[in-house]
């Protein structure tokens, strides 16, 4: 799929909400860092050398035989896109915000369904990402491995027997792997047990971040649980550790939902249905309020209190209502207030069709 | 109409929202105090004497010929009703809360459409009330006069050439008349000019009260404007004075609505449509929040931003969602929380049908 179609479309495979434990685990992501042997790390590259890296990766992904199992990938230069369109790739969680700096020397590789994306010349020469709906860390890891193997048919990655994969930043050395799961934890928040749960996570070597990674708030009650350590543990150990912790949190969230259903059913129904009414009728909606309402409505869907709306729609809307996609849809720049009006109109239209 | 039908039905003629300037003036009311000559005031009467007053009024209103123009009136004892049903008469603005004290010696006379009501043995022997939709003080006064004349065919009212009609409380001596208009002033509140307007009213000898008279808050942005003085002015002067002041407030509210429409259209649309969405979907609604939402929605109806809902429904709901009517509908006592849930269910049902 050409990159333009990717940015014209707010949908990604990870939004389908059809994976395992999809009522709490939104998506699972594996990202590995790879660097070309004998080539300086990206921050040391000039434009020409950076383009050589891009060229090398292009040759590698065009090896149809190597990618026969993985599926067809397409490399695109970020300079093909407008700033707003580049931001949409970030909002869809396909690339990191860092890839937008000095975008002239950067590129991205995508599979049609956007499950696989490879950032080129971000902090490392390659960052291979696999993003899947639900709790599928192992599946994502298997797929990353296939991509890794296919690329290695052509590329020679910097590797040390002692340290493992070499990376630009020492914190990624070793497996070079980051594994993360995005969880939706509204019930734990409502029964005021969220703080304790999140504190416990950091004590077992994992990190909690918001919807858009480090430093972003817990918008929409989304929490990204990921590993801090890449060295000294095998990939399987890292994944097993995260899955074990995440499964425990999922059990706690499920228990919190059961408590709410049993003891505070009217309270939850009121919360959920008010959110639905506001989304359906409001004429001014900030991004923050929209995310809060989506979270409340999603809880209603996940608890079976609301039917006729699929979480897929809400996942897609979390991208559609970001400033970048709104500007793309409107076809012009807008003030924050104009965006709030446009956003509310967009959401009303979606909900009128339900 | 038997009294039981009155309390089983949340509708009253004054709720029809079809009178003059009905988009701002909800209702107009004239109340006069009359006492039987030669009979001590109610607070000095024992049960037997009180029943004699009731009997005298019953004879008077049964004079079909005298009431041929006014229409048929029916006298009922308050003891026929349960406490909840008596409260419904207060909530419908047909009697004062004071009539509920020592109700065994009290009675009420009603016309079918509830435009005319006569309280017997409240502070005075008779308090004749006429309550009409919209700004119709003069029309209400004309009707009260007809009732007064019809009653005088049988009854002899205490009257002094010097003081006018004699009343139990000196503040009612003279005309014995209270005239009031209920106004809906949400726009003046929204543009923060309400305080100034209300202050000005008290400087011209008028009083501002809430929906349920003295001491009640400005629930639903309803304000009752009434005269303070009953002595030294003719009835016509009192009415003309109130109509003049009320007309000015109506002009100010109208100007405030125009300002909102012109300068803050999205803000008002958002407010109004959110209110609609919340009323349509909430599962827990307090009386206070419901009244606030009704006020916002009513503003939308009055400004032409919302169609398909008539203010009549909202007027009727302001009675229906009071604790008394809710208990009557449910058929059993409820805690405040249970009422909030029942109230929300009732409102949802009304809005689903729209």
């Amino acid at each position: 799929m050409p990159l333009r179609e990717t940015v014209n479309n707010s949908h990604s495979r990870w939004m389908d909400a059809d994976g395992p434990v999809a009522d709490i685990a939104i998506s699972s992501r594996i990202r590995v860092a790879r660097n070309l042997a004998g080539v300086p790390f990206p921050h040391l590259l000039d434009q020409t050398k950076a383009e050589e890296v891009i060229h090398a990766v292009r040759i590698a992904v065009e090896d149809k035989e190597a990618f026969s199992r993985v599926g067809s990938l397409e490399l695109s230069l970020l300079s093909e896109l407008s700033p707003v369109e580049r931001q949409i790739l970030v909002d869809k969680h396909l690339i990191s915000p860092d890839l937008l700096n000095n975008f002239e020397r950067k590129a991205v590789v995508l599979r049609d369904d956007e499950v696989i994306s490879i950032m080129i010349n971000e902090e490392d020469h390659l960052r291979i990402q696999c993003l899947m709906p639900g709790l599928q860390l192992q599946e994502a890891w298997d797929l990353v491995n296939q991509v890794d193997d296919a690329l290695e048919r052509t590329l020679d990655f910097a590797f040390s027997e002692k340290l493992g994969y070499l990376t630009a930043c020492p914190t990624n050395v070793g497996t070079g792997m980051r594994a993360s799961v995005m969880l939706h934890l509204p019930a734990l928040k409502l029964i005021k047990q969220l703080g304790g749960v999140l504190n416990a996570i950091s004590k077992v070597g994992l990190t909690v971040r918001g919807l858009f990674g480090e430093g972003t708030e817990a918008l929409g009650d989304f929490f990204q649980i990921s590993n801090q350590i890449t060295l000294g543990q095998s990939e399987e150990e890292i994944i097993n550790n995260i899955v074990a912790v995440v499964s425990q949190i999922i059990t706690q969230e499920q228990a919190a939902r059961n408590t709410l259903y049993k003891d505070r059913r009217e309270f939850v129904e009121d919360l959920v249905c008010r959110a639905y009414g506001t989304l359906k009728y409001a004429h001014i909606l900030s991004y923050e309020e929209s995310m809060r309402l989506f979270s409340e409505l999603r809880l209603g869907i996940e608890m079976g209190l609301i039917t006729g709306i699929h979480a897929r729609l809400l996942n897609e809307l979390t991208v559609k209502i970001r400033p970048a996609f709104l500007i793309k849809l409107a076809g012009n720049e807008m003030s924050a207030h104009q965006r709030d009006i446009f956003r509310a109109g967009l959401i009303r239209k979606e909900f009128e069709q339900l």
Side-chain angles (χ1 to χ4, degrees), chain A:
Chain A
M1 179 158 66
L3 190 57
R4 184 151 305 278
E5 279 183 41
T6 300
V7 296
N8 282 343
N9 184 350
S10 56
H11 178 260
S12 261
R13 172 75 185 95
W14 69 262
M15 300 171 184
D16 285 347
D18 58 356
V21 217
D23 60 333
I24 296 176
I26 306 302
S27 61
S28 300
R29 186 172 69 172
I30 297 282
R31 199 148 84 179
V32 299
R34 296 290 182 264
N35 286 280
L36 301 184
V39 181
F41 290 131
H43 63 282
L44 298 171
L45 294 182
D46 60 17
Q47 181 71 20
T48 312
K49 289 277 181 194
E51 283 171 11
E52 282 173 20
V53 172
I54 294 172
H55 183 71
V57 178
R58 189 190 293 275
I59 299 293
V61 298
E62 280 176 357
D63 182 346
K64 287 210 157 51
E65 204 200 311
F67 282 89
S68 61
R69 275 181 69 198
V70 167
S72 160
L73 302 187
E74 189 166 330
L75 183 146
S76 314
L77 300 176
L78 283 189
S79 52
E80 290 173 18
L81 300 177
S82 70
V84 158
E85 290 168 333
R86 283 194 290 272
Q87 181 60 43
I88 290 172
L89 294 179
V90 176
D91 293 349
K92 292 180 88 173
H93 300 278
L94 303 179
I95 65 172
S96 69
D98 281 350
L99 203 69
L100 303 186
N101 304 328
N102 304 315
F103 63 87
E104 302 83 0
R105 57 182 67 175
K106 292 173 182 175
V108 63
V109 173
L110 289 171
R111 192 169 78 174
D112 258 20
D113 60 0
E114 304 167 15
V115 165
I116 300 168
S117 63
I118 306 172
M119 291 187 275
I120 306 178
N121 290 332
E122 205 239 29
E123 197 174 85
D124 297 290
H125 293 143
L126 288 92
R127 287 214 165 161
I128 307 166
Q129 167 179 294
C130 180
L131 181 59
M132 288 182 163
L135 182 57
Q136 299 199 73
L137 271 189
Q138 188 58 54
E139 291 79 355
W141 169 237
D142 291 344
L143 186 54
V144 161
N145 257 325
Q146 290 175 29
V147 176
D148 197 21
D149 291 347
L151 288 169
E152 281 192 307
R153 296 268 288 261
T154 311
L155 302 173
D156 182 17
F157 291 142
F159 185 82
S160 137
E161 284 300 330
K162 196 175 157 201
L163 292 170
Y165 288 101
L166 301 183
T167 54
C169 176
T171 60
N172 291 319
V173 164
T175 61
M177 186 181 84
R178 292 270 181 192
S180 68
V181 180
M182 186 76 75
L183 298 176
H184 184 229
L185 305 176
L188 283 170
K189 191 187 70 179
L190 286 173
I191 68 165
K192 300 192 196 310
Q193 291 188 2
L194 186 62
V197 170
L198 298 185
N199 274 338
I201 294 170
S202 57
K203 284 179 187 152
V204 293
L206 299 180
T207 303
V208 184
R209 297 192 177 97
L211 184 57
F212 288 97
E214 215 155 347
T216 67
E217 276 169 55
L219 275 168
D221 303 319
F222 287 125
F223 298 89
Q224 204 187 101
I225 317 293
S226 63
N227 61 313
Q228 275 182 307
I229 300 156
T230 60
L231 191 62
Q233 281 188 313
S234 73
E235 288 90 347
E236 301 291 338
E237 281 170 337
I238 293 171
I239 291 171
N240 288 342
N241 183 25
I242 295 189
V243 169
V245 173
V246 160
S247 299
Q248 213 178 328
I249 302 171
I250 287 171
T251 304
Q252 287 170 305
E253 170 69 16
Q254 195 58 63
R257 292 180 186 184
N258 290 342
T259 301
L260 287 173
Y261 193 89
K262 221 174 95 254
D263 301 340
R264 297 173 70 193
R265 171 106 184 234
E266 284 101 355
F267 164 79
V268 179
E269 278 184 329
D270 187 55
L271 187 80
V272 165
C273 294
R274 279 173 184 252
Y276 179 77
T278 304
L279 288 165
K280 191 165 175 176
Y281 292 107
H283 280 243
I284 302 175
L285 277 171
S286 70
Y287 175 70
E288 288 69 21
E289 183 183 7
S290 305
M291 290 300 286
R292 180 177 62 73
L293 296 169
F294 287 160
S295 176
E296 290 163 359
L297 184 55
R298 182 190 293 266
L299 178 65
I301 299 169
E302 290 157 352
M303 285 176 71
L305 297 171
I306 287 248
T307 52
I309 311 174
H310 198 278
R312 189 191 308 119
L313 172 66
L314 301 185
N315 283 336
E316 203 172 326
L317 278 172
T318 60
V319 170
K320 229 170 175 169
I321 66 165
R322 297 273 296 169
F325 214 93
L326 292 183
I327 291 167
K328 176 139 188 94
L329 285 173
N332 50 263
E333 286 290 329
M334 291 182 283
S335 70
H337 183 61
Q338 286 169 330
R339 280 204 307 266
D340 289 352
I341 292 167
F342 192 83
R343 178 182 294 114
L346 185 83
I347 294 173
R348 272 205 314 286
K349 214 167 143 195
E350 291 284 358
F351 278 73
E352 266 165 22
Q353 293 165 3
L354 294 175

